[in-house]
Amino acid sequence: MQKKAYYIIDFDSTFTQVEALDELARISLKKHPEKESIFQKIEDYTNQAMEGKLSFSESLAQRVKLLEANEDHLKQLIKHLKKKVSTSFSRNAEFFKKHADEVLIVSGGFKEFITPVVSQYHIKKENIYANTFVTTGDGKIIDYDHANPLSEEGGKVKLLQHLKLEGELFGIGDGYSDFQLRESGMINKFFAFTENIARQTIIEKADHITPSFDEFLYVNNLPRAISYPKNRILCLIIGDVDAHSIALLKNDGLSIRHKTSFEEKYVKDVGVILLADGEKIESEQLKNAVKLKTIGYLGNAKGKIDTALCTKMGIVIFDDVKSNPRNSDFIPKRMIDFMNTGATYLSANYPNLQLPKIDKSHRLIHIHKNVPGIMAQINTVFAKHNINIVGQFLMTNPEIGYAITDINTEYDKQLFKALKKIEHTIKFRVLY
């Protein structure tokens, strides 16, 4: 019989993008004349504890002293934190709904702000373990409950010892207190979460580095919002590309490499390329770029990229024919939209297709030569595998057929093999 799995998840800089006490300080000390120096002290105490250089209890005590916060400040913080949930956690809200009994939030933070944030994701209140504030009658925060084991050094270890969970335990977090669970033998695997911050001292100790929650779900073969983690997709940026364009692609979760040329070592692995105006890709390199899905060109790509070859290989090109430097985010946004939804709107070489995202479905992309009977073959494959089609979109030009199919059922992976084997198929992939 398979062991029950439990998912022990940290809150600060893991479930959310920020350290909540640091953010609370920025709210409560907004008008303080020495706010900047106090902010720095609080951040220093946070980092020292996360890196194991200062005991957690000492760090917590010092930070709470400096806060000068009250319940009104907490309300502002909660509103702010709800907007700062880590992107990959937010994207996988359905996972938390399905695994509400197995997900535990274990944090050195405080229930007063953690519970309202994570409860939106169907995480049960009885599965939220954190500290609590001590307040005066008028709502001023003056201390915290020192009897709570999570306020002590090694508090997470003490808590799990008390809970006596039986099964396979996975820990996800960014700090030393999360690693202590693995070190003590209380969890089976520790996943260093680096979507928001990467602490080298913690990364070195992890069983697995997970740049996103998608990655964690992928390596553990768990249900997820997207089929393949974006952090595993190599995005090569070539030439003098502005920082804003790079940031857009990085923030979408792609693994970024910024180079002056298309180095040979990247050719077989690259999934996305963004080229500065004036740069060029050789056809021989394109032929070997078997994982390449889209190219963005910050200018007119004519004469710089072999468009016909890209079309035959299923590579979608987005370029800016007018070479408008003030519209630098146009191309990255088109590329991101294509990677996330399959939309080819305003592409240089593919039929223009705009697509809605359909919830609770899987999206399959099938690119093929535009010859008669292909769609009939695709739908015959779906019928043979008892697949119910939620939505289907098809656009063609004289050379290419671009078909998107949304299905709402669990599928056998033999389905993919059958779709790939259809004659005249150029490229097939599962989007989410």
Side-chain angles (χ1 to χ4, degrees):
M1 187 175 174
Q2 191 174 8
K3 287 183 180 179
K4 185 172 182 177
Y6 288 96
Y7 309 100
I8 316 299
I9 302 174
D10 183 36
F11 182 76
D12 294 293
S13 293
T14 299
F15 199 94
T16 57
Q17 300 167 23
V18 293
E19 292 287 328
L21 283 185
D22 295 0
E23 299 301 302
L24 181 56
R26 295 194 178 279
I27 293 168
S28 64
L29 300 170
K30 190 175 181 180
K31 296 179 181 178
H32 197 288
E34 296 175 27
K35 61 183 180 182
E36 291 303 328
S37 63
I38 300 174
F39 292 160
Q40 191 58 55
K41 284 181 184 177
I42 290 173
E43 286 183 10
D44 288 345
Y45 284 130
T46 299
N47 287 326
Q48 286 173 34
M50 290 300 101
E51 293 169 10
K53 296 175 181 175
L54 181 70
S55 75
F56 182 79
S57 55
E58 178 63 19
S59 168
L60 185 63
Q62 293 297 338
R63 284 181 285 164
V64 171
K65 273 184 195 174
L66 292 168
L67 280 176
E68 297 186 21
N70 59 43
E71 289 177 350
D72 285 338
H73 296 138
L74 274 177
K75 289 176 184 176
Q76 294 176 53
L77 175 66
I78 291 163
K79 189 176 179 181
H80 176 61
L81 291 178
K82 285 181 177 180
K83 297 174 184 175
K84 289 291 182 179
V85 172
S86 295
T87 305
S88 62
F89 278 95
S90 178
R91 180 164 52 236
N92 287 286
E94 194 65 23
F95 171 83
F96 297 106
K97 188 175 182 179
K98 287 181 180 177
H99 295 271
D101 292 330
E102 298 92 51
V103 172
L104 282 70
I105 300 295
V106 178
S107 171
F110 289 81
K111 280 190 178 182
E112 286 86 348
F113 54 73
I114 293 174
T115 300
V117 176
V118 303
S119 294
Q120 300 176 112
Y121 291 83
H122 309 282
I123 294 169
K124 294 181 175 180
K125 289 182 180 179
E126 59 265 34
N127 285 358
I128 301 168
Y129 297 91
N131 285 298
T132 53
F133 286 120
V134 173
T135 58
T136 59
D138 61 356
K140 185 179 178 182
I141 295 169
I142 54 169
D143 205 351
Y144 59 90
D145 178 9
H146 292 257
N148 189 323
L150 286 168
S151 70
E152 303 169 11
E153 177 61 22
K156 291 187 179 183
V157 173
K158 292 173 185 175
L159 174 72
L160 260 69
Q161 287 171 338
H162 172 72
L163 292 177
K164 296 179 180 177
L165 298 172
E166 292 186 9
E168 192 169 16
L169 276 62
F170 300 94
I172 308 166
D174 67 289
Y176 182 68
S177 63
D178 304 299
F179 166 69
Q180 284 180 318
L181 292 173
R182 180 72 171 95
E183 190 178 40
S184 67
M186 294 307 302
I187 61 175
N188 299 86
K189 283 186 180 179
F190 168 55
F191 292 79
F193 188 79
T194 61
E195 184 171 322
N196 304 307
I197 187 167
R199 305 181 197 277
Q200 194 58 38
T201 54
I202 307 306
I203 287 171
E204 290 167 358
K205 297 179 172 79
D207 293 297
H208 190 89
I209 299 164
T210 179
S212 67
F213 192 53
D214 306 300
E215 172 75 7
F216 172 81
L217 297 173
Y218 178 79
V219 297
N220 291 296
N221 198 27
L222 292 164
R224 52 197 177 272
I226 56 176
S227 296
Y228 192 74
K230 293 219 189 127
N231 55 269
R232 288 180 174 240
I233 300 174
L234 173 61
C235 175
L236 191 60
I237 295 170
I238 300 172
D240 186 15
V241 174
D242 64 284
H244 178 62
S245 294
I246 297 171
L248 285 170
L249 294 165
K250 186 176 182 180
N251 292 341
D252 197 51
L254 297 168
S255 178
I256 305 293
R257 302 287 187 280
H258 190 185
K259 300 292 176 180
T260 55
S261 63
F262 192 2
E263 296 174 23
E264 202 61 36
K265 65 180 179 179
Y266 295 119
V267 171
K268 289 185 179 178
D269 294 319
V270 68
V272 176
I273 294 178
L274 178 62
L275 292 155
D277 195 6
E279 298 294 335
K280 188 176 181 179
I281 296 183
E282 299 299 330
S283 296
E284 279 305 309
Q285 290 178 310
L286 279 176
K287 286 176 185 176
N288 294 320
V290 291
K291 294 183 181 178
L292 186 56
K293 298 167 184 67
T294 183
I295 298 174
Y297 197 90
L298 297 174
N300 190 337
K302 189 175 181 180
K304 307 293 184 180
I305 302 170
D306 189 336
T307 303
L309 177 58
C310 285
T311 303
K312 287 176 184 176
M313 291 180 65
I315 301 166
V316 179
I317 301 170
F318 296 95
D319 70 348
D320 183 5
V321 177
K322 295 181 181 178
S323 299
N324 185 357
R326 287 180 293 182
N327 199 18
S328 62
D329 63 356
F330 169 77
I331 299 302
K333 283 181 176 178
R334 295 275 68 76
M335 297 166 71
I336 290 166
D337 197 24
F338 168 72
M339 292 298 292
N340 292 344
T341 72
T344 52
Y345 180 61
L346 297 178
S347 84
N349 65 327
Y350 263 69
N352 274 219
L353 185 59
Q354 288 181 287
L355 297 158
K357 181 164 183 175
I358 298 177
D359 291 334
K360 297 179 181 177
S361 68
H362 302 289
R363 177 161 288 176
L364 314 180
I365 297 179
H366 193 277
I367 303 173
H368 51 268
K369 293 179 183 177
N370 187 12
V371 297
I374 296 285
M375 286 307 296
Q377 291 182 60
I378 289 172
N379 289 331
T380 297
V381 169
F382 287 132
K384 283 182 178 177
H385 285 81
N386 297 312
I387 299 294
N388 183 38
I389 296 173
V390 177
Q392 197 164 48
F393 310 88
L394 172 68
M395 290 288 285
T396 63
N397 64 24
E399 292 86 28
I400 295 296
Y402 186 75
I404 303 282
T405 306
D406 291 324
I407 60 175
N408 71 349
T409 184
E410 291 302 314
Y411 47 77
D412 185 332
K413 290 194 176 176
Q414 294 301 315
L415 170 68
F416 301 163
K417 291 181 181 178
L419 290 167
K420 289 176 182 177
K421 284 181 180 177
I422 292 173
E423 192 178 1
H424 303 300
T425 296
I426 294 172
K427 190 169 280 186
F428 169 80
R429 69 183 177 114
V430 183
L431 198 59
Y432 52 77

